[in-house]
Amino acid sequence: MTDIILKRATVADAEEIWQMQKKAFQELLEKYRDFDTNPASESLEKTVMHLNQPFTFFYFIELNGVKIGAIRVEDKKTSDEPKRISPLFIMPQYRNRGYAQAAIKAVEAIHGENVWELDTILQETANCHLYEKAGYRNTNKTKQINDKLTLVFYKK
């Protein structure tokens, strides 16, 4: 498929991930004004906190040695706790080329294919399509964030 690789990030990479995340989610923040939930609004301290969590696995998505995005997996390594993707982002100039789908397959290969969950913006049909193509099913659970944005929840 696509020639991306995942490289595990550490707390030393926090600022780089944070800067990339802000750029990747800025357009959605401006569109939906979801200041409490959008990753572009998160602080550097929150990124550091995530990287320090024992159940967080943050990976850079690399293409030919270039960091084109990142994916965070919450995996508590228990059979009764679903794994979670939050967030997944590809930098704007690399979108719509299959890299996000390849990253999902890669983390599922690392962390196991069953019992995953995530949420995305219902109004962003391309995001919903991406997750459905990757085998996630809409749980029909939603959460209204504001008058413009609704989160929709998926499971696999």
Side-chain angles (χ1 to χ4, degrees), residues 10 24 27 36 40 52 72-73 77 79 99 115 120 125-126 138 142 154 156:
T10 69
E27 187 180 322
D36 292 334
N52 279 322
R72 177 175 166 251
V73 173
K77 306 278 187 192
S79 58
Y99 301 134
V115 199
T120 193
T125 54
N138 185 330
T142 59
Y154 283 87
K156 182 176 189 177

Side-chain angles (χ1 to χ4, degrees), residues 29-97:
L29 179 64
E30 290 169 12
K31 183 175 183 180
Y32 295 109
R33 320 283 300 154
D34 55 325
F35 298 102
D36 292 334
T37 57
N38 189 300
S41 292
E42 287 182 3
S43 65
L44 174 59
E45 291 74 27
K46 187 164 184 181
T47 302
V48 169
M49 180 199 74
H50 283 153
L51 284 160
N52 279 322
Q53 290 170 324
F55 54 85
T56 285
F57 300 82
F58 233 127
Y59 300 94
F60 284 111
I61 303 165
E62 291 191 2
L63 177 68
N64 301 322
V66 176
K67 294 171 182 155
I68 65 164
I71 185 168
R72 177 175 166 251
V73 173
E74 293 177 27
D75 183 356
K76 297 190 176 154
K77 306 278 187 192
T78 64
S79 58
D80 59 338
E81 192 89 31
K83 296 171 279 271
R84 180 169 180 72
I85 295 173
S86 177
L88 161 60
F89 61 88
I90 302 293
M91 301 310 287
Q93 64 271 35
Y94 295 99
R95 291 182 186 156
N96 301 312
R97 298 184 196 171

